Amino acid sequence: METLQVYKKKEFMHQSMLNLFQYQNQSELNRFQCQKTLIMFKNHIKIAWRSLKRQPFFAFLNTFGLAIGMAGGLLISLYIYDEMNFDTMFKDADRIYRINADIKFGGTESKSAQVSAPMAAAMESDFSQVELTTRFRNLGGMLLRKSNTEANIKEEGATFVDATFFEMFGLDLLVGDMQTALKEPNTLVLTRTAALKHFGLKKAIGQSLVLNNTDTYTVTGVIEDMPERSFLRNHNVFMAMAGNEDAQKQEWTSHNFFTFIKLIPGADIADFQTPLQSMLGTYIMPYVQTFLPGATEEQLEASGNYLYYGTIALKDIHLYSAKDHELSPNSSIQNVYILSFIGLFLILLASVNFMNLSTAQSLKRAKEVGIRKTLGSDKPALIRQFLTESGLISFISLLFSLGIAVVAIPYFNALSGKSISIPFTEPVFWMALFIGATVLALFSGMYPAFFMSRFAPVKVLKGAGATSTGGGNIRSLLVVFQFAISVFLIVSTLVVFMQLKFIQSKDLGFTKDQVLIVDDVYTLGEKATAFKEQVEQLGQVQSATLSSFLPTPSVRSNTSFFKEGGATAENSINMQIWNVDDNYIPTLNMEILEGRNFDRQFGTDSTAMLINESAVAILGVQAKEALGMRIIRNFENGSSNNFTIIGVIKNFNYESLRENIGAVSMTLGRSTGSLAVKLEAGNFSNSISSIEGIWNKVAPGQPFSYRFMEDSFNTTYEAEQQLGRIFVTFTILSILIACLGLFGLAAFNAQKRTKEIGIRKVLGASIGQITYRLTTDFLKMVGVAIIVSLPVGWYLMNKWLEDFTYRIEISWWVFAFAALIALTIAVLTVSYQSIKAAIVNPVKSLRT
Amino acid sequence: MLLQLNNIFKWVNSGGQRIFLLKDINLNVEEGEFISIMGPSGSGKSTLLNVIGMLDNFDEGEYSFLDEPVHTLKEKHRANLYKQYIGFVFQSYHLLDDLTVKENLEMPLLYKKVGSSERKSLVADTLDRFNIVGKKDLFPSQLSGGQQQLVGVARALISSPKLILADEPTGNLNSKQGEEIMGLFKQLNSEGVTIIQVTHSEKNATYGSRIIDLLDGRKI
């Protein structure tokens, strides 16, 4: 208190002295300065608040635009944070890698995330830098029931896993003993959710479960649910690898095991590449020679075949791994980039709006600047004042944007397929928001602040007639920039949607419409055929086919065949083999180009084979010549099957349209995974309930599940559809922001030209002429924006389309359409203000 | 000597021709003077006032203010000088629309970094002195022109400047309001404040102690 008194007294004594050296000690001076700054700051805030209140329209445009941009940016940041932090929760995640294999053999290429079963053990014993290995053998969905009950429950995400699972990923058992949990065959570990579903947490241990109505397993442990942000999300049942027959075999060329390694601390993964690849010589070639005697690595290479091993860090899997089959569907870093750009665009757009609207208002503020300068304000003080103002707007917008984000997040989650929540309780989140809003305020406020603090008082105070305050060029440039981004987004949206449309309407080589699929028919066992026959009797059913192989993307593997003439690398053909029945081709409406479909009347059709055009290409013959060719499949025990080609099927897209169509063969065989039912057009609900009735009669207690092929097809393109929806949403947002800016600018422009408009009207200009005059100025800017953005859009969208093997050409009218949309929106936005200005009575506008 | 202008020239180039706004102006102003600058429109009255107020530059000549050579000073220094010693009064008042009367008065003190308690007492004194205590929370738009100009003069005076520069201070006022403002100026002058005003009105000029007539930028 005393010092306060002292300095106040001193201050009074030196009231007109600015010389700082008169303050006797530095700390006193600092405190004094500090207090001054605070007073000034309070004053700035007060003035900022009042000027906002005095111009509610501009204040609204400013804060609303900024809030939308911020909310968009915020949601996208949360999304990206989520995407970038997959699998980081696992202990030692930095040392864990997955082994990949790129393979070409027998004319078929594959990029596999899985390797052979014996590889894990070999790596662990041969390479000192490998501390631990764990394999997964994914089974997907399966049916589960307690051993003493009849009713099955479907459980998604069941997998065999090595006993090292817990140690590898640092997982703790909630119940059970880690040392023994997955050691014995026919034991399994459930996640908390699965355990609660069947037994309850504590009671689960020691209970028996029957899997797929065949094998009985004992529950030996319960773990926490797998994190949403991990590659094991939605996996609930982990069965001991010890019970998997394939896992014990020394089959070096079947790639069916997701294999993870943990390096010893300090080991470099780069040094592991050479030893890893050397396994080809040490293990794979000797194995290959057992069925291709005399085969060498050189030979293999010369015939265009290869097998490259690689590794990917656990934390990179989600964004960087795009192998044929993954444990869980992955995202791609490309999406993260696209979204980052969109987020950045949104914030930039909002920020540009802010700059535009602020400098546009400068005419009004000019007088204030002049007065303040004559009252003794210097430039830095004015800059501080304007920055405080933009800071205030920025923080008000931030509050609004949080509100918008809270409202929008369910929609955003639906849009992006995520389950993001706003981390309100995280201090880091608030810090980030604070820093973000401050940076945005500085970034957006800097230009207006410098621009406006420059005004010379003599000029702006001269009278009422200041007509221009400059900065028009930069404002025009900013508008061009905004619209260029909007036009680009419009083009992108159109292209994404056209590609999606193209995919949906493309001739796939089969008809997916009106095909109902009943899953898990194998649980009916012998009764599957009876079920099929009864379904076929239903009125609306055209035909039905039993097969586990449907032309929608799923887990598949190739099988090696040979042409007649010996088991050599040149003669080998790698293709899929699908077991189907004779109704398969007609039910799915596939086209036979040459030859014929299977027919029960031919007794020999058990050794008959249909192949697709891709397979014909590997054979190196014309479709016609393929008929009658013999294809041999060798088994490990020395026996073999001979097939005769009886028909060639027109290529059909069974994988996503991003992929080429691989070689497929079909043989008659019992395969009862699903029943595909072709229905006649009409209302399907009756047929569905009839089919369910039959199911329940044939197999009481088994869960009935069905889907339409069309829907499963659509899920294949979920990523694209998501991208499309995200594009649409953010395009609309960015156009909205750009329009807010344009609207504000048009209002300002009309204001600025009030006098000019008055004079023109007195001289006889019509309202139409004036509106035209005011509007065309803006349209010119939009025109420039269109010219700038179209080539960029063309280039980038062609890049995006390159991902698809089957894609559209971007035609000129897409650009014309985008340009038209942008121009129309601009005209609508601007003309309101222009007309409003044009109809003002000149007597009013010319009065000074 | 408060200020001294020696051979001041100011010009603009227009269409290849040099147009003189101020031509060879010499002027000595002693403390306590009340000067009226007169002349027809375009004669350079306001320009001269702006030059004296350091709001505008000149092209040739010397200007010293309290023995400081203004023409050689840096922008910041010059700003400090006028912030401290000069108050402005405008024809159209130029009050800050967003601020109340009280806050308008406070503004120059804030820029001079005057402490809070002292600021308050100065504002209170001034409100008192100009008899506008009852108006202190009103905004300029709620005042009549005469009242606004009163606030304008009060604001110019609050930081106790040595010199008041007034550009047609009564130009927007009716005759009664004008007389009041001029009476105020007369009184301030008698208290020792130097005043330089630009005016069209012969009658207003009579309040002053000296008249400077300008024509086409030249003193006559």
Side-chain angles (χ1 to χ4, degrees):
Chain A
M1 261 330 269
E2 216 180 295
T3 43
L4 205 73
Q5 294 289 330
V6 171
Y7 96 66
K8 274 185 182 157
K9 228 179 262 168
K10 269 192 193 127
E11 182 195 336
F12 193 68
M13 281 161 57
H14 302 297
Q15 60 156 309
S16 58
M17 306 297 214
L18 275 174
N19 193 335
L20 301 178
F21 294 104
Q22 286 170 356
Y23 294 96
Q24 281 171 349
N25 75 54
Q26 198 60 36
S27 73
E28 203 173 273
L29 174 68
N30 283 347
R31 192 152 13 151
F32 176 66
Q33 286 292 326
C34 204
Q35 207 199 11
K36 291 293 142 64
T37 319
L38 200 71
I39 289 167
M40 223 42 200
F41 183 68
K42 261 167 69 185
N43 191 272
H44 289 336
I45 293 267
K46 184 168 71 190
I47 292 162
W49 179 245
R50 293 223 184 115
S51 76
L52 282 183
K53 259 177 33 189
R54 259 170 54 86
Q55 308 223 22
F57 174 64
F58 279 100
F60 169 76
L61 289 185
N62 245 343
T63 42
F64 187 55
L66 214 52
I68 290 180
M70 280 175 162
L74 175 65
L75 291 178
I76 288 176
S77 304
L78 289 174
Y79 177 91
I80 290 170
Y81 178 84
D82 191 82
E83 287 282 280
M84 303 284 276
N85 281 282
F86 262 74
D87 296 318
T88 48
M89 70 292 287
F90 293 120
K91 214 179 113 220
D92 301 330
D94 291 326
R95 292 194 278 137
I96 303 176
Y97 297 86
R98 191 187 68 201
I99 310 292
N100 293 329
D102 289 353
I103 308 157
K104 183 174 179 192
F105 193 74
T108 305
E109 282 175 271
S110 68
K111 291 185 183 304
S112 175
Q114 305 173 85
V115 294
S116 59
M119 231 182 128
M123 282 190 292
E124 210 169 327
S125 70
D126 290 5
F127 307 128
S128 59
Q129 61 263 60
V130 177
E131 183 183 296
L132 200 65
T133 61
T134 302
R135 296 170 299 168
F136 293 87
R137 176 82 172 94
N138 201 25
L139 290 179
M142 61 163 39
L143 297 171
L144 232 68
R145 63 176 163 88
K146 289 189 237 176
S147 53
N148 48 2
T149 57
E150 284 286 302
N152 271 310
I153 296 176
K154 183 140 189 171
E155 197 66 75
E156 295 297 333
T159 175
F160 283 103
V161 69
D162 280 319
T164 51
F165 178 46
F166 309 110
E167 193 190 344
M168 177 66 104
F169 297 101
L171 302 171
D172 289 324
L173 282 167
L174 297 174
V175 221
D177 179 9
M178 198 192 289
Q179 296 307 317
T180 58
L182 288 173
K183 282 274 190 320
E184 298 302 318
N186 288 57
T187 57
L188 59 76
V189 166
L190 298 173
T191 59
R192 177 195 285 270
T193 306
L196 288 175
K197 200 190 308 181
H198 297 283
F199 310 105
L201 208 55
K202 288 270 153 40
K203 279 184 268 172
I205 297 284
Q207 300 274 3
S208 296
L209 280 172
V210 181
L211 267 61
N212 282 345
N213 288 330
T214 47
D215 303 319
T216 306
Y217 280 75
T218 310
V219 180
T220 52
V222 179
I223 51 173
E224 267 305 344
D225 286 347
M226 287 294 123
E228 265 300 301
R229 239 171 10 209
S230 80
F231 74 106
L232 286 174
R233 63 186 178 283
N234 301 330
H235 283 73
N236 286 313
V237 182
F238 298 91
M239 296 167 291
M241 192 64 89
N244 183 294
E245 271 178 50
D246 289 345
Q248 327 306 330
K249 286 186 191 158
Q250 291 294 310
E251 261 192 47
W252 284 88
T253 50
S254 305
H255 297 81
N256 292 320
F257 292 82
F258 294 96
T259 304
F260 289 81
I261 59 167
K262 188 189 274 185
L263 293 185
I264 55 170
D268 187 352
I269 190 67
D271 300 333
F272 188 60
Q273 184 55 44
T274 318
L276 182 64
Q277 190 60 36
S278 75
M279 296 182 84
L280 180 63
T282 329
Y283 293 102
I284 287 95
M285 286 320 294
Y287 176 76
V288 169
Q289 279 151 13
T290 61
F291 57 89
L292 281 180
T296 62
E297 256 180 88
E298 290 73 36
Q299 233 180 359
L300 210 65
E301 219 169 286
S303 57
N305 297 314
Y306 56 75
L307 198 172
Y308 298 126
Y309 287 118
T311 55
I312 183 164
L314 174 63
K315 291 194 290 188
D316 287 344
I317 289 178
H318 182 67
L319 289 180
Y320 296 95
S321 181
K323 300 296 177 186
D324 294 342
H325 306 295
E326 301 266 356
L327 266 170
S328 293
N330 287 335
S331 180
S332 87
I333 190 72
Q334 199 195 359
N335 283 353
V336 171
Y337 287 144
I338 291 177
L339 273 175
S340 308
F341 274 118
I342 293 181
L344 207 66
F345 277 164
L346 267 187
I347 291 179
L348 260 181
L349 283 178
S351 172
V352 162
N353 246 11
F354 182 91
M355 294 184 207
N356 256 344
L357 292 173
S358 306
T359 52
Q361 281 184 83
S362 59
L363 194 63
K364 286 197 166 164
R365 304 298 298 271
K367 188 185 130 194
E368 183 193 329
V369 170
I371 298 171
R372 282 179 184 279
K373 281 199 172 169
T374 61
L375 292 180
S377 173
D378 53 3
K379 232 172 115 171
L382 281 165
I383 289 174
R384 278 198 299 276
Q385 186 199 326
F386 285 122
L387 284 181
T388 313
E389 223 162 282
S390 54
L392 184 71
I393 293 180
S394 176
F395 276 91
I396 293 174
S397 308
L398 182 65
L399 286 183
F400 279 125
S401 77
L402 282 176
I404 296 175
V406 168
V407 174
I409 204 148
Y411 302 100
F412 182 75
N413 278 336
L415 200 71
S416 61
K418 293 240 166 215
S419 47
I420 297 170
S421 59
I422 302 175
F424 282 119
T425 52
E426 296 279 336
V428 182
F429 171 71
W430 291 104
M431 280 267 286
L433 281 190
F434 182 81
I435 292 171
T438 310
V439 169
L440 192 61
L442 288 179
F443 177 73
S444 330
M446 210 49 111
Y447 169 66
F450 277 98
F451 175 75
M452 290 196 277
S453 60
R454 240 180 24 215
F455 296 145
V458 185
K459 281 199 189 120
V460 292
L461 293 180
K462 209 168 236 164
T467 47
S468 169
T469 45
N473 282 337
I474 291 184
R475 274 200 296 279
S476 308
L477 206 69
L478 292 177
V479 170
V480 167
F481 174 72
Q482 280 189 314
F483 265 82
I485 288 177
S486 300
V487 171
F488 167 69
L489 287 176
I490 295 173
V491 169
S492 311
T493 310
L494 287 174
V495 171
V496 170
F497 270 86
M498 284 167 62
Q499 174 68 18
L500 279 176
K501 181 93 191 126
F502 169 76
I503 286 171
Q504 262 146 7
S505 59
K506 183 184 181 297
D507 177 15
L508 297 168
F510 66 94
T511 310
K512 62 183 188 300
D513 307 322
Q514 298 162 38
V515 176
L516 180 85
I517 295 167
V518 181
D519 286 317
D520 306 323
V521 180
Y522 64 91
T523 57
L524 305 182
E526 291 304 312
K527 288 182 273 185
T529 321
F531 174 62
K532 179 194 165 192
E533 280 162 3
Q534 287 184 44
V535 169
E536 277 174 332
Q537 302 305 313
L538 294 173
Q540 206 181 5
V541 173
Q542 284 184 351
S543 66
T545 178
L546 262 183
S547 175
S548 307
F549 302 91
L550 292 171
T552 46
S554 80
V555 184
R556 285 181 236 271
S557 57
N558 280 318
T559 307
S560 288
F561 294 89
F562 296 99
K563 282 194 269 191
E564 252 179 327
T568 63
E570 291 86 66
N571 273 344
S572 86
I573 308 162
N574 246 12
M575 58 185 173
Q576 310 202 357
I577 177 160
W578 294 10
N579 287 326
V580 300
D581 62 19
D582 53 337
N583 283 336
Y584 191 84
I585 300 284
T587 303
L588 294 171
N589 198 19
M590 288 176 178
E591 194 184 333
I592 305 262
L593 292 176
E594 297 290 343
R596 60 174 179 86
N597 186 17
F598 302 114
D599 193 330
R600 292 192 179 214
Q601 289 175 350
F602 291 83
T604 54
D605 269 5
S606 58
T607 59
M609 181 183 255
L610 295 173
I611 58 174
N612 71 351
E613 290 174 278
S614 295
V616 172
I618 296 176
L619 287 174
V621 293
Q622 294 297 312
K624 245 199 182 89
E625 298 162 4
L627 296 181
M629 282 180 82
R630 284 179 174 279
I631 300 290
I632 298 141
R633 181 183 186 185
N634 291 329
F635 291 98
E636 251 184 290
N637 58 17
S639 67
S640 64
N641 272 353
N642 279 319
F643 296 101
T644 310
I645 296 172
I646 58 157
V648 174
I649 317 162
K650 190 176 167 211
N651 264 356
F652 56 95
N653 291 91
Y654 57 93
E655 291 286 357
S656 133
L657 291 182
R658 278 175 292 252
E659 325 276 345
N660 277 309
I661 298 174
V664 174
S665 64
M666 292 180 192
T667 56
L668 269 185
R670 190 173 163 79
S671 157
T672 58
S674 316
L675 182 73
V677 184
K678 175 78 172 182
L679 298 170
E680 272 164 27
N683 188 353
F684 301 135
S685 54
N686 280 338
S687 296
I688 293 171
S689 56
S690 305
I691 293 171
E692 187 171 4
I694 297 171
W695 174 277
N696 286 335
K697 248 188 284 166
V698 174
Q702 301 296 340
F704 174 72
S705 78
Y706 72 93
R707 61 199 155 98
F708 280 94
M709 195 176 229
E710 174 117 50
D711 299 334
S712 344
F713 176 81
N714 287 340
T715 55
T716 314
Y717 304 102
E718 208 151 69
E720 279 74 25
Q721 275 167 344
Q722 234 167 51
L723 191 67
R725 288 195 295 263
I726 288 174
F727 259 118
V728 171
T729 312
F730 288 103
T731 303
I732 292 173
L733 282 186
S734 78
I735 292 174
L736 181 66
I737 293 174
C739 283
L740 286 179
L742 198 62
F743 192 68
L745 268 192
F748 157 75
N749 197 41
Q751 232 171 51
K752 192 178 79 174
R753 293 168 73 168
T754 308
K755 200 166 173 183
E756 179 204 324
I757 295 165
I759 296 170
R760 283 181 190 278
K761 281 188 86 172
V762 168
L763 296 178
S766 73
I767 291 175
Q769 283 165 328
I770 287 172
T771 309
Y772 173 79
R773 235 193 136 68
L774 289 175
T775 309
T776 41
D777 281 358
F778 285 100
L779 294 194
K780 273 181 215 155
M781 293 182 220
V782 177
V784 174
I786 289 168
I787 291 166
V788 171
S789 65
L790 290 190
V792 180
W794 184 82
Y795 175 76
L796 289 178
M797 289 324 287
N798 268 320
K799 273 254 165 263
W800 179 75
L801 283 173
E802 277 172 16
D803 263 10
F804 293 88
T805 314
Y806 301 90
R807 56 175 179 255
I808 53 163
E809 286 287 316
I810 309 180
S811 53
W812 63 270
W813 67 261
V814 172
F815 300 107
F817 190 56
L820 193 70
I821 294 177
L823 280 173
T824 310
I825 292 172
V827 167
L828 289 178
T829 311
V830 173
S831 55
Y832 168 74
Q833 293 290 353
S834 303
I835 293 171
K836 204 173 105 184
I839 55 180
V840 171
N841 184 345
V843 176
K844 255 189 188 165
S845 50
L846 290 182
R847 195 171 53 197
T848 44
Chain B
M1 182 83 66
L2 179 66
L3 63 90
Q4 189 171 24
L5 300 177
N6 289 328
N7 309 102
I8 296 288
F9 286 83
K10 182 173 174 62
W11 62 74
V12 288
N13 290 320
S14 169
Q17 264 186 318
R18 182 167 283 185
I19 298 170
F20 284 92
L21 302 177
L22 295 176
K23 215 170 191 177
D24 197 18
I25 302 283
N26 292 291
L27 178 65
N28 291 338
V29 178
E30 299 292 339
E31 286 198 38
E33 279 198 276
F34 188 163
I35 299 173
S36 306
I37 303 175
M38 296 193 71
S41 292
S43 60
K45 305 185 296 288
S46 294
T47 309
L48 178 57
L49 202 71
N50 287 335
V51 164
I52 294 172
M54 302 175 209
L55 297 178
D56 213 349
N57 291 322
F58 46 91
D59 295 295
E60 217 177 277
E62 289 173 350
Y63 173 18
S64 62
F65 188 92
L66 287 175
D67 298 327
E68 294 255 26
V70 175
H71 51 281
T72 61
L73 289 180
K74 286 225 171 83
E75 169 77 30
K76 197 175 167 180
H77 225 89
R78 217 183 304 170
N80 278 339
L81 209 58
Y82 79 70
K83 186 149 61 168
Q84 215 171 341
Y85 298 110
I86 301 178
F88 294 90
V89 176
F90 304 95
Q91 176 176 1
S92 44
Y93 333 126
H94 285 334
L95 299 178
L96 289 167
D97 298 331
D98 292 340
L99 300 185
T100 62
V101 167
K102 196 183 103 198
E103 286 160 353
N104 261 293
L105 291 182
E106 211 175 12
M107 213 65 231
L109 301 177
L110 279 170
Y111 284 126
K112 276 178 77 177
K113 302 193 195 300
V114 176
S116 142
S117 60
E118 191 197 342
R119 211 171 58 229
K120 281 192 184 116
S121 71
L122 275 173
V123 169
D125 285 353
T126 310
L127 286 168
D128 221 21
R129 181 171 165 203
F130 286 85
N131 215 1
I132 46 178
V133 179
K135 310 242 173 344
K136 71 176 166 48
D137 291 323
L138 298 182
F139 286 94
S141 54
Q142 295 166 298
L143 301 175
S144 73
Q147 287 165 338
Q148 287 191 45
Q149 191 58 299
L150 200 60
V151 176
V153 176
R155 186 180 64 180
L157 276 172
I158 196 159
S159 53
S160 20
K162 282 184 181 300
L163 173 64
I164 293 245
L165 298 174
D167 194 349
E168 301 247 21
T170 62
N172 285 8
L173 304 178
N174 64 31
S175 60
K176 186 168 170 289
Q177 291 168 331
E179 267 171 38
E180 276 169 19
I181 293 294
M182 289 318 294
L184 184 59
F185 276 160
K186 186 83 194 160
Q187 190 201 335
L188 291 172
N189 181 238
S190 68
E191 287 166 14
V193 181
T194 313
I195 295 172
I196 302 178
Q197 67 164 343
V198 163
T199 182
H200 269 116
S201 147
E202 292 284 350
K203 192 176 149 219
N204 284 354
T206 58
Y207 286 88
S209 52
R210 178 148 70 109
I211 294 175
I212 295 165
D213 275 308
L214 286 185
L215 184 67
D216 297 335
R218 199 188 281 277
K219 238 171 103 177
I220 48 172

